[in-house]
Amino acid sequence: MFHSAALKLTVWYLAIIMVISLTFSVSLYQVSSEDLGRNVNRQLTYFNNFLGPQDLNNYSNLRLRQLNNDLKHLRANLFLFNAFVLIGGGAASYWLARRTLRPIESALAAQSRFAADASHELRTPLTAMQTENEVALRSNNLTKKQATELLKSNLEEVGKLKSLSEGLLRLAGSNQTDNLNDSVPLKDVVSKAMQRFSKTAAAKHISIDNKARNFNVRGDADSLTELISIFIDNAIKYSPSRSTVILKSWSRDKTISLSIADNGQGIAATELPYVFDRFYRTDNSRTKNQAEGYGLGLAIAQKITEAHHGHIEVSSLPGKGSTFIVHLPAA
Ligand code: ADP
């Protein structure tokens, strides 16, 4: 598909180049032939005063032959020039067409990879529900207890599907933030995000030590709460029980920074560059830790941060812990 699009674009680029080149050549030929013709006429008028009719006739024939030769030369040169433009322009047009299409090509590839990953993740809970329901339907003496268990499990899977679809919607951008210029007190968004996870943290006996000082950040309060929630959620998910998550903040050069540090499982240096990719989960999270998630949180965090003209830094030591620092513009 992209090959034929590149060829079509090449033809268009080349057509434009050739129209310009041919127009230039025709104009040059006209101007030059008129100039040369005028020159010959001037010379003939001048020699008319000195030469007899026979000599003048001979000289005029000679000059006209020379003029024709010059014009033939010019036509040949212009032909060569246009042939060169056609070949060189064709190659340059194809290169330009490929270059123009490359970002579209990779965006399309990323989109289909995203759709494939999303479908794969959606299929897992759906298959689990389907299997459980089929087994239950086949059983002749389903007890009330078993039915309740089945409904609970179904609800759990529905919950997963809901959180996955919310994540997908967030990434697809259909939940756009619009008031990115509000002055948002950092302490408000931090405490809102902490409240969301107070129960999960308590269940794992994890204490969240909030040392973040208050600064005003430029952005959207709800999105910033979501952003900080993602880091706190991960810090709790990927930390052992009875550990501590520490939040700190500082201000430098009109930038407010917030760090979220944990003493959890950490991320291997080889995996660190990929944690912001959609659907990426480290080997540790998929296997040993078994923490729930789809690998969308950090991709969403990245998207929110970029929309706020900020950036995220991460440092981590496997087995020691991770620190995520988000830098945002001050209000
Ligand atoms: P998930 O839903 O899997 O948590 P994220 O996009 O939030 O998705 O994170 C991507 C992966 O990065 C996680 O699966 C985990 O392997 C790793 N990760 C993120 N935060 C941490 C952390 N604080 N400590 C250790 N690993 C982390």
Side-chain angles (χ1 to χ4, degrees):
M1 170 183 143
F2 275 96
H3 186 66
S4 73
L7 285 180
K8 270 186 208 152
L9 210 58
T10 305
V11 170
W12 274 108
Y13 285 156
L14 191 59
I16 294 168
I17 293 172
M18 287 317 293
V19 164
I20 295 170
S21 171
L22 288 170
T23 313
F24 167 77
S25 304
V26 168
S27 314
L28 185 77
Y29 182 77
Q30 263 171 358
V31 171
S32 305
S33 60
E34 275 168 25
D35 260 9
L36 288 170
R38 250 199 311 272
N39 243 347
V40 170
N41 279 341
R42 237 192 335 259
Q43 280 178 347
L44 290 177
T45 324
Y46 177 73
F47 282 116
N48 196 16
N49 300 322
F50 311 105
L51 301 174
Q54 186 56 42
D55 287 343
L56 189 67
N57 196 27
N58 287 344
Y59 181 69
S60 145
N61 283 341
L62 175 78
R63 288 302 286 128
L64 284 175
R65 259 203 315 280
Q66 277 177 342
L67 176 67
N68 276 338
N69 273 343
D70 287 349
L71 288 178
K72 216 160 44 182
H73 230 91
L74 184 62
R75 278 198 299 271
N77 281 342
L78 285 175
F79 177 80
L80 274 180
F81 170 74
N82 279 288
F84 173 77
V85 170
L86 185 72
I87 296 166
S93 299
Y94 184 71
W95 179 79
L96 212 66
R98 296 286 320 160
R99 229 182 117 90
T100 312
L101 291 174
R102 206 171 300 146
I104 306 170
E105 204 174 340
S106 52
L108 207 73
Q111 204 167 33
S112 45
R113 220 172 28 244
F114 179 59
D117 287 343
S119 322
H120 177 76
E121 295 293 351
L122 282 167
R123 218 175 34 202
T124 313
L126 285 173
T127 312
M129 278 198 320
Q130 190 183 19
T131 317
E132 282 174 355
N133 288 344
E134 276 171 0
V135 170
L137 271 178
R138 256 188 255 127
S139 144
N140 292 329
N141 39 10
L142 189 73
T143 63
K144 192 165 178 261
K145 191 168 167 260
Q146 282 171 326
T148 314
E149 287 297 318
L150 176 71
L151 286 175
K152 264 193 205 159
S153 163
N154 277 356
L155 271 180
E156 222 171 81
E157 298 301 338
V158 169
K160 285 184 195 167
L161 283 171
K162 201 170 155 229
S163 83
L164 175 60
S165 70
E166 277 165 4
L168 291 173
L169 274 176
R170 194 72 169 94
L171 276 177
S174 38
N175 197 3
Q176 293 285 354
T177 49
D178 40 15
N179 13 322
L180 291 170
N181 283 322
D182 285 351
S183 172
V184 181
L186 189 65
K187 84 171 166 25
D188 289 0
V189 282
V190 166
S191 54
K192 259 195 211 159
M194 277 175 60
Q195 256 169 28
R196 286 190 189 177
F197 297 99
S198 55
K199 275 193 192 149
T200 347
K204 274 182 93 174
H205 303 285
I206 290 177
S207 60
I208 305 178
D209 187 1
N210 181 9
K211 291 184 179 160
R213 287 158 56 208
N214 190 33
F215 297 103
N216 282 347
V217 177
R218 185 152 42 85
D220 173 70
D222 289 341
S223 306
L224 291 173
T225 309
E226 193 182 346
L227 172 69
I228 299 164
S229 301
I230 291 168
F231 295 120
I232 297 181
D233 182 23
N234 281 347
I236 296 171
K237 264 195 319 196
Y238 302 112
S239 289
S241 51
R242 296 179 205 288
S243 58
T244 309
V245 174
I246 303 172
L247 272 66
K248 285 184 194 162
S249 67
W250 60 94
S251 158
R252 195 174 299 147
D253 297 333
K254 297 195 174 164
T255 299
I256 309 298
S257 307
L258 175 75
S259 73
I260 301 99
D262 63 59
N263 307 307
Q265 65 186 45
I267 306 163
T270 48
E271 300 196 88
L272 218 46
Y274 307 107
V275 291
F276 293 95
D277 290 355
R278 293 160 173 184
F279 296 108
Y280 188 84
R281 306 200 76 207
T282 64
D283 283 344
N284 234 353
S285 321
R286 286 181 193 277
T287 52
K288 285 188 215 157
N289 184 293
Q290 297 284 323
E292 274 187 15
Y294 293 100
L296 292 180
L298 289 181
I300 296 171
Q302 177 99 304
K303 189 173 165 141
I304 297 174
T305 309
E306 276 171 7
H308 282 77
H309 305 290
H311 65 278
I312 305 171
E313 260 180 77
V314 54
S315 57
S316 186
L317 274 179
K320 293 260 186 267
S322 314
T323 303
F324 285 84
I325 307 175
V326 56
H327 304 278
L328 295 160

